[in-house]
Amino acid sequence: MNNTPKPNTPSIRVSVSQIRKYKRCARSWWYQYGPLGIKPPANKSASLGSAVHHILEGYLLEGTEPPATKAGRIAACGLDKLPNPDELEIEKSITLPLAENSKILCRIDMLGKDRPYVGDHKTTSDFKWAKTRGELNTDVQLLTYAYAAYHESQPAEVDAELIYYRTRGLPVSMSVSTILKWEDIEKNWALMGEIAEEMAPKKLDPTGDTCAPNTGACNDFGGCFFAGECPFSPRNRKNLDPGLDKVTSRDNNVRALDDAKTKTKKEKRKMSKKSKDIQAAFGILSPDAAEPQKPEPKKADPKAEAVEKLVEMLNPFGGKIP
């Protein structure tokens, strides 16, 4: 492969997280990695995840026991799922040329010394976010790390594993593993190179106009950090010029956002009706439902009671009432 940069195209260094961000919303990627270089502050979840990673690194490298802190208790719950530290390379950093105008930095939590193995620590608030074994087979991070680590030996298969540590509630861990085929690893590497080449010329775009927004990502992780600057975000769309003659890409994105909101409202109404139907079928009251009115007891009819008693007396004898 010829890795000489193309004329007038910047040579960029990317990571798996960068490429993921670009594919999710190129506009958001541009705000962070383009000329503006706006770096979002780390949130509480990210800070806790970093602390857990640091503790696990110390345990694997030096045998340091996790401290009696929240991060320490979370890390400790997964120690039994860690491979033998003597068989691992810990926190391995690898930088490789990815394509003509790009290179990639891979920071790998665990690598096998005597066997092809890639492992990564993941913190999550709930195991419902954990990936399945099938999803691991197409996970770009594991596939990319596998190529970076073993591209020289090119084994037929690479063992891959994600160890999840739950951060909310009782600390619990879970391991999900799979076997990656080398042909899939190579295909993913080629695709990552194509995406990086697409990103390279956009990195120096002074306006970001070449980076298409994805309004479906505006609410990711509690809301995009760049919503205040992005003209396509919900909070800024009301400032758009309604007198434009041409339908711009901005207009299209606003319309798409409106359509999405309308669809969401319809789905909520539909689900609300469905819930009420189910509740009615099982006699369940919704939280905001009024207390049902109890029917007034019927007044006893003396004549009817007398007839019923007479029938009971005559039935054993086969008597009938005219």
Side-chain angles (χ1 to χ4, degrees):
M1 179 186 294
N2 180 14
N3 291 319
T4 304
K6 295 178 182 178
N8 302 322
T9 300
S11 179
I12 65 171
R13 188 180 76 173
V14 299
S15 63
V16 173
S17 59
Q18 258 203 69
I19 291 178
R20 278 177 169 167
K21 190 176 187 69
Y22 173 82
K23 292 300 293 181
R24 180 61 177 157
C25 180
R27 188 79 177 194
S28 179
W29 167 83
W30 176 82
Y31 278 114
Q32 184 169 352
Y33 297 101
L36 299 180
I38 304 173
K39 187 176 181 180
N43 56 36
K44 291 183 179 180
S45 298
S47 298
L48 180 59
S50 297
V52 173
H53 272 72
H54 181 72
I55 293 169
L56 291 167
E57 179 184 356
Y59 176 83
L60 290 168
L61 285 174
E62 303 169 2
T64 305
E65 291 296 324
T69 61
K70 181 177 181 178
R73 289 189 291 271
I74 292 170
C77 76
L79 298 185
D80 62 320
K81 296 178 176 60
L82 297 174
N84 186 343
D86 295 334
E87 300 174 355
L88 297 174
E89 290 187 77
I90 310 301
E91 295 296 326
K92 182 77 171 180
S93 292
I94 302 174
T95 301
L96 283 179
L98 184 57
E100 291 182 343
N101 298 279
S102 59
K103 55 185 177 180
I104 190 167
L105 170 63
C106 301
R107 291 191 177 98
I108 309 171
D109 290 343
M110 298 178 289
L111 277 181
K113 290 181 180 178
D114 302 322
R115 67 181 176 108
Y117 167 82
V118 175
D120 201 66
H121 309 297
K122 297 289 184 186
T123 52
T124 180
S125 61
D126 196 305
F127 285 152
K128 69 181 180 180
W129 306 115
K131 294 188 175 183
T132 64
R133 178 175 296 180
E135 290 172 329
L136 257 59
N137 291 327
T138 57
D139 183 78
V140 294
Q141 183 183 51
L142 291 175
L143 290 165
T144 303
Y145 287 1
Y147 185 94
Y150 301 108
H151 64 280
E152 294 181 350
S153 58
Q154 297 188 9
E157 298 176 339
V158 176
D159 293 333
E161 180 180 35
L162 295 181
I163 302 178
Y164 286 94
Y165 304 78
R166 194 172 68 178
T167 60
R168 188 175 297 171
L170 185 68
V172 184
S173 64
M174 178 178 71
S175 171
V176 184
S177 59
T178 190
I179 298 176
L180 303 176
K181 304 295 184 183
W182 188 257
E183 58 186 31
D184 296 329
I185 294 171
E186 284 189 316
K187 288 178 182 177
N188 173 78
W189 185 263
L191 178 60
M192 297 289 276
E194 292 175 6
I195 297 172
E197 289 300 289
E198 181 183 310
M199 295 164 65
K202 298 179 180 181
K203 186 176 178 65
L204 298 182
D205 181 354
T207 63
D209 289 343
T210 59
C211 298
N214 175 20
T215 55
C218 290
N219 293 321
D220 286 358
F221 307 107
C224 179
F225 178 76
F226 307 108
E229 292 80 12
C230 182
F232 304 97
S233 68
R235 71 170 68 175
N236 290 328
R237 64 190 183 91
K238 62 184 179 182
N239 298 324
L240 301 180
D241 183 1
L244 293 176
D245 294 328
K246 292 185 177 181
V247 179
T248 63
S249 60
R250 183 184 300 179
D251 296 324
N252 289 330
N253 279 278
V254 171
R255 188 177 297 110
L257 185 61
D258 289 336
D259 292 343
K261 285 187 174 181
T262 301
K263 183 179 179 181
T264 301
K265 289 180 180 178
K266 289 181 179 178
E267 289 177 349
K268 284 184 177 180
R269 286 197 296 268
K270 183 178 179 181
M271 288 304 296
S272 177
K273 183 179 184 303
K274 186 176 180 181
S275 299
K276 288 179 179 178
D277 291 342
I278 294 173
Q279 289 172 347
F282 287 91
I284 302 173
L285 286 176
S286 62
D288 57 348
E291 189 70 23
Q293 297 293 328
K294 294 183 180 180
E296 294 182 2
K298 294 182 178 180
K299 294 181 180 180
D301 186 350
K303 292 182 179 180
E305 289 182 353
V307 171
E308 288 180 2
K309 289 181 179 179
L310 186 59
V311 170
E312 290 177 1
M313 294 172 61
L314 294 176
N315 275 342
F317 304 99
K320 294 184 179 180
I321 297 176

